[in-house]
Amino acid sequence: MKKRWYAAVLALTVMFVSACQTAPESTYDPADTQTAREQEHQEEQDSGQTVRKEAVEPLTDYVSGDEMALADQWPSCDDAALAKVMRKAAAGQPVTIACIGGSITQGTIAKGDLDDTVGFSRPYADIFHEWWEKQFPDTEITFVNAGIGGTDSYLGVHRLKRDVLSQEPDLVLVEYAVNDANSFFYKRSYDNLLRNILQAESAPAVMLLFMEQTNGTNAQGNQVLVGFQYALPMISYANCIEHMMENGQYSASQLSGDGVHPSALGHAIAGELLWRYLNQVYEQRDELPEPQAFSITAATDDRYADADIADRTNVTPEELGTFSEQDTGEYFPDGWICEEGDGGLTVTLRFRNLGILYIATTDGKSGSFDILVDGESVRAVNADFSDGWGDAITATEVYTSEEEAEHTVTIKKTEGTEKELFWLLGFLTS
């Protein structure tokens, strides 16, 4: 089993262990299945399938043993589901690996002062994928990168079905520690995102990655508590680079060119942390049990249990008003655009909770639009982002209730607003 001698690093360990006691206990005895494992390996060899016995060495050597201990300091996390995916890959069966998150997962690299010494410039997600390709060279590995820049777990939970679960993944890596805030709203959306993955038909394994801005900003505090509730494997890039900066090993400008996105060095470190963790699990893959069916109670609640996106692919407005059907971008192309007039698009949807997905623009043309549910204004959303870093895909919750029902939703320009542009990408329902 993995060496977990560093479990006492966190002062919150006692609380965390208590939180993990809701996880189901395993009744597995390695001796019960050893013969079956040996038989499986023999069948693989007889069929000509390559059986790799040794874990592949990481591409880099930036992370010390102490730093790995800081990044992987949660001994009660359960690696059984991850080991099952590895056994499936070792048997030569096709495996689908997915990542979901923001721009860091998508692959944004902000050049740092030491990037020229790294030898390559690749996102952590690609390095994570490469481990599976190198460890199982004779197995078909499908990789799904569902990272979208500037997005959070609230949007993530709503697009999860479309962008990830539709691919029937065996493993999903989740990264939202930079884009989420440390608030209950995001703790809930992150919790529901994880629950929806864990309860998916393909029963995927889940890994959590906690990235961080170099100024220390991250949502790891909330996300660790959710991960502990479900005993999930967790890796903290945040803990690792904080230690590196405190000890003068690397500076903030070496780890990130803009303070938010990792440099090539930062991505290499994140990729190495994940690679080393996978190696640890790989070395004990045959001793770990079959994972139990997920049945753990929610860390928050099940508000977004049926989260989805309604757009032109699955809903037809009763009224378009001054909106028109237009291509609304690479990631959410099936929305509507109001370029002039008062708007007035009206749809009928069934939901308990409602969010609006739109583009906040920097061109100074976008305005404020009211959201009406059953004729009553519930919130105004302002799509003007003139002082922002760029046009931003934005998800805003506008309505919540205790019971699911059919509602009429109308979007029209806020009275007194002169700007008439509004890019409506879709409705977030749950």
Side-chain angles (χ1 to χ4, degrees):
M1 300 296 289
K2 272 189 250 185
K3 293 182 180 179
R4 298 291 191 168
W5 49 269
Y6 41 80
V9 175
L10 282 184
L12 297 177
T13 297
V14 173
M15 180 182 70
F16 287 160
V17 170
S18 174
C20 273
Q21 289 176 349
T22 57
E25 296 183 359
S26 172
T27 59
Y28 172 75
D29 182 351
D32 293 340
T33 59
Q34 185 60 36
T35 301
R37 295 277 183 249
E38 292 172 355
Q39 182 178 354
E40 288 175 7
H41 288 319
Q42 185 61 51
E43 290 174 352
E44 292 165 359
Q45 290 171 332
D46 292 343
S47 67
Q49 171 70 35
T50 298
V51 181
R52 186 185 293 280
K53 295 298 184 181
E54 300 296 328
V56 177
E57 288 298 312
L59 304 179
T60 55
D61 191 23
Y62 294 117
V63 180
S64 70
D66 287 347
E67 288 156 355
M68 187 66 208
L70 287 169
D72 174 25
Q73 59 185 236
W74 297 283
S76 55
C77 297
D78 185 356
D79 294 319
L82 183 55
K84 180 181 179 180
V85 181
M86 293 179 183
R87 293 195 294 266
K88 180 179 180 180
Q93 301 176 43
V95 166
T96 297
I97 309 296
C99 296
I100 186 169
S103 57
I104 296 174
T105 292
Q106 185 181 18
T108 301
I109 299 175
K111 184 171 175 56
D113 296 343
L114 281 182
D115 281 7
D116 292 341
T117 69
V118 177
F120 58 83
S121 182
R122 297 171 58 198
Y124 86 80
D126 286 359
I127 300 170
F128 180 68
H129 176 212
E130 185 171 343
W131 183 90
W132 292 89
E133 294 280 4
K134 285 186 177 295
Q135 196 64 62
F136 308 105
D138 298 319
T139 297
E140 179 185 345
I141 307 292
T142 299
F143 184 61
V144 178
N145 189 329
I148 298 180
T151 65
D152 53 27
S153 66
Y154 173 66
L155 175 53
V157 70
H158 289 86
R159 68 183 181 88
L160 177 70
K161 185 185 301 183
R162 184 197 72 172
D163 293 346
V164 176
L165 299 185
S166 62
Q167 307 299 312
E168 299 183 346
D170 297 283
L171 167 64
V172 182
L173 176 66
V174 180
E175 176 271 310
Y176 278 113
V178 168
N179 286 19
D180 280 6
N182 241 334
S183 65
F184 181 77
F185 175 83
Y186 282 111
K187 182 178 181 180
R188 169 187 276 154
S189 61
Y190 186 80
D191 180 23
N192 278 254
L193 172 67
L194 300 187
R195 291 184 64 77
N196 289 356
I197 300 171
L198 291 164
Q199 296 178 101
E201 188 173 348
S202 63
V206 177
M207 293 180 67
L208 309 183
L209 175 62
F210 308 131
M211 300 299 291
E212 180 181 71
Q213 298 182 38
T214 52
N215 66 2
T217 301
N218 67 70
Q220 177 175 301
N222 267 342
Q223 294 181 357
V224 163
L225 294 176
V226 178
F228 253 89
Q229 179 79 359
Y230 307 132
L232 297 175
M234 299 183 282
I235 292 294
S236 176
Y237 171 83
N239 290 356
C240 180
I241 66 165
E242 285 177 10
H243 180 266
M244 288 175 165
M245 288 189 289
E246 287 170 3
N247 290 337
Q249 184 176 350
Y250 298 116
S251 67
S253 63
Q254 291 168 338
L255 293 166
S256 172
D258 60 9
V260 177
H261 302 93
S263 60
L265 171 64
H267 273 284
I269 290 169
E272 183 180 334
L273 291 170
L274 291 167
W275 196 298
R276 292 185 182 278
Y277 190 91
L278 291 172
N279 277 355
Q280 292 174 174
V281 178
Y282 180 80
E283 289 168 358
Q284 55 171 324
R285 67 194 182 283
D286 289 337
E287 287 73 47
L288 287 166
E290 288 293 309
Q292 296 186 14
F294 181 75
S295 61
I296 304 173
T297 56
T300 57
D301 56 34
D302 282 315
R303 171 172 287 188
Y304 308 120
D306 247 346
D308 207 348
I309 299 175
D311 57 22
R312 283 192 283 122
T313 65
N314 52 20
V315 65
T316 301
E318 284 81 28
E319 298 287 343
L320 277 174
T322 62
F323 278 85
S324 62
E325 297 181 351
Q326 294 189 40
D327 185 326
T328 46
E330 178 182 1
Y331 299 107
F332 305 96
D334 298 305
W336 304 267
I337 299 177
C338 177
E339 296 179 284
E340 60 182 9
D342 293 330
L345 181 143
T346 299
V347 297
T348 299
L349 301 168
R350 188 170 185 82
F351 56 83
R352 177 181 165 194
N353 312 289
L354 177 69
I356 300 299
L357 182 61
Y358 59 98
I359 297 180
T361 69
T362 59
D363 58 11
K365 298 179 180 179
S366 293
S368 174
F369 279 66
D370 288 335
I371 314 302
L372 290 78
V373 176
D374 300 328
E376 297 291 329
S377 179
V378 294
R379 182 162 179 172
V381 293
N382 190 350
D384 182 16
F385 197 41
S386 297
D387 297 327
W389 45 264
D391 291 352
I393 296 170
T394 306
T396 301
E397 188 168 59
V398 298
Y399 178 88
T400 64
S401 64
E402 293 302 318
E403 294 187 8
E404 180 182 348
E406 189 173 271
H407 298 281
T408 298
V409 181
T410 300
I411 300 184
K412 67 178 184 179
K413 190 175 70 173
T414 303
E415 186 175 352
T417 298
E418 295 182 359
K419 301 173 182 179
E420 299 179 330
L421 180 65
F422 193 81
W423 290 65
L424 174 62
L425 306 183
F427 300 90
L428 307 179
T429 62
S430 60

